[in-house]
Amino acid sequence: MENFKILVIGGSRNIGYYSAVRLLALGATVTFLLRSPQVFDQDDTIQNYVKEGKARLIKGDALVKSDVSRAWSEAQHQHEDDSDIRPVDFLIFTVGGTPHFSLTKGLFLTPPDLVTQSLINVLETLPSPHPKIITISSIGLTQASHKTLPLLLKPLYNYILPAPHKDKRGVEEVISHSAGWEWDARDSPGDAILGADWTSRIPSAGELKSIAVIRPALFTDGVCRADVKGKGSEAYRVKEGDLEGSWTVSRRDVAHFLVEGMVRHWQEWEGKCVSIAY
């Protein structure tokens, strides 16, 4: 991956961050779009890559289309002197926001359409040729996926997670439209999340082929089991579509699969929506 150019949106923490660090260690050049680049001021790992010119920190907001467009442009540059301008190889989209909690609403985001509208801005400003795109969603979002949840987790998903999952359903509907995947209209979050003119702002139906979605189970902050004693991908289960008995998975293991599974073996996962859990 020595010559790979990666744009990470949502990489200040969690899966985006862990994935970026893995990619940097493999020799990729990673451009971060960050609302606050100062988040990495005390991060020696990232700062070392910044000094080497392998990590590039771009201040901007994914909710601002011009900022996203500028991030695409910056990510195409290998060096600040413009000596190596090439297309971006991968976009890692892991926008998630910081949730708040309400007794009546459960977890919620401000704004409630944060992830969907950020993705629409990304797709509206896609450079040509299109990069490969990997985005994070969640198990249990759709009616079909919810049915496969363990019985004891269903109340948690119903009470705590409906608001952020509504936003994630917007993401999946946008991707399904652009990629030409089947989508159940009953799962649509509606115009409140998507916006009234959303289809006019993104690639035409079926145009976007080089994309993959990862649906993780309930997150933990545990270690990367795949890195322990060389277990590799045997540390977790991955399946296209829904995965029965999906309880939890650590963010670090999702990042392991994203890089060691998807990025390394893109032809195997391109055009697929996959679930991951222990």
Side-chain angles (χ1 to χ4, degrees):
M1 298 186 193
E2 187 69 32
N3 295 317
F4 274 24
K5 291 186 175 183
I6 314 286
L7 174 59
V8 178
I9 300 181
S12 63
R13 58 195 176 102
N14 296 333
I15 295 170
Y17 174 80
Y18 301 136
S19 299
V21 170
R22 283 185 174 276
L23 290 162
L24 286 163
L26 291 170
T29 297
V30 177
T31 300
F32 295 83
L33 178 63
L34 302 161
R35 282 182 292 179
S36 176
Q38 291 79 11
V39 70
F40 290 147
D41 281 356
Q42 305 304 315
D43 189 315
D44 291 340
T45 298
I46 297 296
Q47 289 302 321
N48 286 335
Y49 286 118
V50 170
K51 291 174 184 176
E52 295 172 5
K54 301 297 287 185
R56 309 183 70 193
L57 312 183
I58 307 301
K59 181 177 176 59
D61 190 334
L63 287 173
V64 179
K65 188 169 70 172
S66 60
D67 287 353
V68 178
S69 182
R70 179 165 49 85
W72 281 121
S73 178
E74 292 290 341
Q76 293 180 59
H77 295 69
Q78 187 82 15
H79 305 291
E80 291 187 2
D81 61 2
D82 293 347
S83 61
D84 184 11
I85 302 176
R86 291 184 291 105
V88 175
D89 293 288
F90 277 91
L91 165 72
I92 311 300
F93 182 86
T94 59
V95 173
T98 303
H100 307 283
F101 179 75
S102 162
L103 289 175
T104 57
K105 298 179 181 179
L107 294 177
F108 65 95
L109 296 173
T110 303
D113 58 356
L114 168 67
V115 187
T116 300
Q117 292 304 315
S118 295
L119 180 64
I120 289 174
N121 281 339
V122 166
L123 297 183
E124 191 173 11
T125 58
L126 271 181
S128 182
H130 293 169
K132 304 170 184 69
I133 299 173
I134 300 174
T135 186
I136 301 296
S137 183
S138 175
I139 281 173
L141 287 184
T142 64
Q143 294 184 46
S145 181
H146 191 271
K147 290 177 181 178
T148 68
L149 289 172
L151 184 61
L152 293 178
L153 282 184
K154 289 184 178 181
L156 174 67
Y157 277 64
N158 289 337
Y159 173 62
I160 301 293
L161 299 173
H165 277 189
K166 188 175 183 179
D167 193 11
K168 291 284 190 180
R169 290 204 312 276
V171 166
E172 289 209 9
E173 184 168 0
V174 167
I175 291 172
S176 295
H177 173 86
S178 297
W181 298 351
E182 290 186 8
W183 178 258
D184 189 333
R186 295 175 298 175
D187 293 320
S188 177
D191 289 351
I193 297 296
L194 292 161
D197 61 343
W198 66 277
T199 56
S200 67
R201 298 176 55 197
I202 61 176
S204 302
E207 179 184 345
L208 196 62
K209 300 300 184 183
S210 198
I211 192 166
V213 175
I214 302 175
R215 287 178 170 179
L218 196 65
F219 286 132
T220 76
D221 285 320
V223 299
C224 179
R225 296 184 187 180
D227 284 340
V228 177
K229 297 181 181 179
K231 286 185 177 180
S233 60
E234 294 180 1
Y236 45 74
R237 298 177 295 143
V238 179
K239 178 187 174 185
E240 183 178 4
D242 296 317
L243 187 61
E244 298 283 348
S246 299
W247 288 87
T248 62
V249 69
S250 78
R251 293 178 175 89
R252 290 174 175 84
D253 272 316
V254 176
H256 179 276
F257 169 67
L258 190 156
V259 175
E260 302 298 334
M262 278 198 165
V263 174
R264 280 191 183 273
H265 306 283
W266 180 248
Q267 290 184 336
E268 179 180 353
W269 301 107
E270 182 180 24
K272 295 180 180 179
C273 178
V274 303
S275 301
I276 179 171
Y278 291 138

